[in-house]
Amino acid sequence: PLAGAVANAANRTATTNAAGIAQLAGVPAGLVVVSAVAAGYDEGSSTTDLKAGETGEVEIRLRRHRESAGDLSSAIDQGGSANVYGIRFDLNSAKLRADSEPALASVLKLIQARPGSKWTIAGHTDDQGSANLNAKLSEARASSVIARLVSKGVDASRLKPVGHGASRPVAANSTENGRALNRRVEVTLGR
């Protein structure tokens, strides 16, 4: 069981308790897709056919998020982009933390394995702070990643920085887990 995961269905959200259980009230009857996310895990989902006036139950198994070059390549092949949570920055800063090196090495291998390809490196933040500050911070963070990749031999003309700030959340910003999921770097093939 995973405590602190955020479950969502039909715009209703709840956080799992210590037993890994979340209760979503007010979900309309019909075919319902329930998703769950947690920091350090990939999003999971399940469906249920909820009958009016009844309670439904779903089990969602979340898998630990992996960020090897192969994992990132698979995500790119499946969806065109990959979220990278292992690239970390100092608070309110674009300075890369030392613990970012393994994830940066994976991104470097991913890009090197596709010679001549073009990439967008996008920074994302949670919704803490002003929209203007978050937009600037997220672009500065994307630029920091690019600077590190260029220092390792990637041609700068292959990389484009973009800052989305808090405009593209992947989870609710109402919990720390949700905010942690929203703070990420996204690598996208092509421009």
Side-chain angles (χ1 to χ4, degrees):
L2 182 62
V6 179
N8 183 357
N11 293 322
R12 309 309 197 275
T13 61
T15 302
T16 58
N17 61 22
I21 297 171
Q23 294 182 349
L24 298 168
V27 176
L31 188 60
V32 177
V33 177
V34 183
S35 64
V37 293
Y41 293 83
D42 290 327
E43 180 177 11
S45 65
S46 185
T47 58
T48 186
D49 190 5
L50 188 60
K51 295 184 179 15
E54 293 186 13
T55 300
E57 223 177 87
V58 296
E59 181 176 307
I60 301 172
R61 294 182 181 263
L62 299 181
R63 284 185 245 165
R64 287 211 175 268
H65 184 72
R66 298 183 330 212
E67 295 183 340
S68 72
D71 296 323
L72 297 177
S73 185
S74 293
I76 295 289
D77 291 342
Q78 291 174 8
S81 69
N83 287 326
V84 185
Y85 294 98
I87 298 176
R88 298 183 182 96
F89 303 89
D90 288 341
L91 182 65
N92 293 323
S93 168
K95 181 181 178 195
L96 288 161
R97 289 183 7 196
D99 59 352
S100 298
E101 289 306 320
L104 287 164
S106 294
V107 172
L108 178 63
K109 285 180 188 175
L110 170 72
I111 292 171
Q112 290 174 330
R114 299 179 188 224
S117 58
K118 304 263 186 191
W119 297 86
T120 298
I121 308 297
H124 298 268
T125 66
D126 60 30
D127 70 347
Q128 306 296 295
S130 74
N132 187 42
L133 175 67
N134 282 332
K136 288 178 183 177
L137 179 60
S138 62
E139 185 164 353
R141 287 176 170 180
S143 294
S144 290
V145 172
I146 288 174
R148 180 63 57 88
L149 295 171
V150 168
S151 77
K152 299 291 186 181
V154 177
D155 182 344
S157 68
R158 297 177 60 198
L159 306 172
K160 175 184 172 186
V162 174
H164 293 296
S167 67
R168 297 185 179 181
V170 293
N173 278 297
S174 58
T175 67
E176 180 50 42
N177 272 346
R179 288 188 296 274
L181 288 165
N182 291 331
R183 295 186 300 264
R184 66 198 188 281
V185 170
E186 182 181 14
V187 288
T188 305
L189 183 60
R191 291 191 198 196

XYZ file of all heavy atoms in Angstrom, residues 20 34 36 44-48 56-62:
102
model
N -3.251 2.720 1.852
C -3.279 2.855 0.396
C -4.680 3.014 -0.165
O -4.910 2.785 -1.346
N -10.351 5.885 -13.217
C -9.740 6.360 -11.983
C -8.229 6.324 -12.192
O -7.683 5.308 -12.614
C -10.113 5.473 -10.781
C -9.525 6.022 -9.499
C -11.623 5.321 -10.669
N -4.238 7.424 -10.555
C -3.510 7.684 -9.311
C -2.083 8.074 -9.660
O -1.493 7.530 -10.600
C -3.529 6.457 -8.416
N -0.847 5.617 -12.832
C -1.569 4.391 -13.141
C -3.047 4.690 -13.217
O -3.516 5.703 -12.699
N -3.777 3.809 -13.875
C -5.224 4.013 -13.959
C -5.942 2.686 -14.085
O -5.339 1.662 -14.399
C -5.583 4.922 -15.138
O -5.243 4.306 -16.359
N -7.228 2.749 -13.836
C -8.093 1.579 -13.945
C -9.504 2.082 -14.226
O -9.821 3.236 -13.937
C -8.066 0.766 -12.655
O -8.810 -0.422 -12.792
N -10.334 1.238 -14.782
C -11.720 1.635 -15.063
C -12.671 0.754 -14.278
O -12.356 -0.380 -13.916
C -12.054 1.511 -16.564
O -11.840 0.158 -16.975
C -11.198 2.432 -17.399
N -13.851 1.316 -14.021
C -14.916 0.556 -13.382
C -16.246 1.050 -13.929
O -16.375 2.209 -14.309
C -14.871 0.687 -11.839
O -15.847 -0.179 -11.273
C -15.110 2.106 -11.380
N -18.157 1.650 -5.903
C -17.259 0.849 -6.745
C -15.885 0.773 -6.111
O -15.547 1.541 -5.212
N -15.113 -0.176 -6.570
C -13.770 -0.364 -6.042
C -12.835 -0.658 -7.197
O -13.177 -1.418 -8.102
C -13.773 -1.569 -5.093
C -12.998 -1.341 -3.828
C -13.096 -2.535 -2.904
O -12.278 -3.461 -3.051
O -14.003 -2.523 -2.041
N -11.669 -0.026 -7.187
C -10.633 -0.335 -8.181
C -9.305 -0.483 -7.455
O -9.094 0.096 -6.391
C -10.497 0.755 -9.275
C -11.759 0.869 -10.094
C -10.099 2.083 -8.699
N -8.430 -1.264 -8.029
C -7.073 -1.386 -7.521
C -6.148 -0.863 -8.600
O -6.240 -1.265 -9.755
C -6.730 -2.844 -7.212
C -5.332 -3.001 -6.664
C -5.013 -4.428 -6.257
O -5.789 -4.995 -5.472
O -3.987 -4.950 -6.732
N -5.264 0.049 -8.203
C -4.303 0.618 -9.144
C -2.905 0.333 -8.604
O -2.590 0.680 -7.471
C -4.514 2.141 -9.303
C -5.928 2.417 -9.805
C -3.469 2.724 -10.243
C -6.298 3.883 -9.810
N -2.118 -0.326 -9.415
C -0.739 -0.626 -9.015
C 0.185 0.381 -9.696
O 0.251 0.431 -10.916
C -0.353 -2.037 -9.427
C -1.147 -3.089 -8.683
C -0.710 -4.489 -9.071
N -1.503 -5.457 -8.372
C -1.117 -6.054 -7.262
N 0.052 -5.780 -6.740
N -1.894 -6.942 -6.679
N 0.850 1.184 -8.874
C 1.795 2.163 -9.396
C 3.183 1.550 -9.444
O 3.581 0.825 -8.535
C 1.810 3.412 -8.511
C 0.496 4.166 -8.381
C 0.675 5.393 -7.494
C -0.033 4.576 -9.738
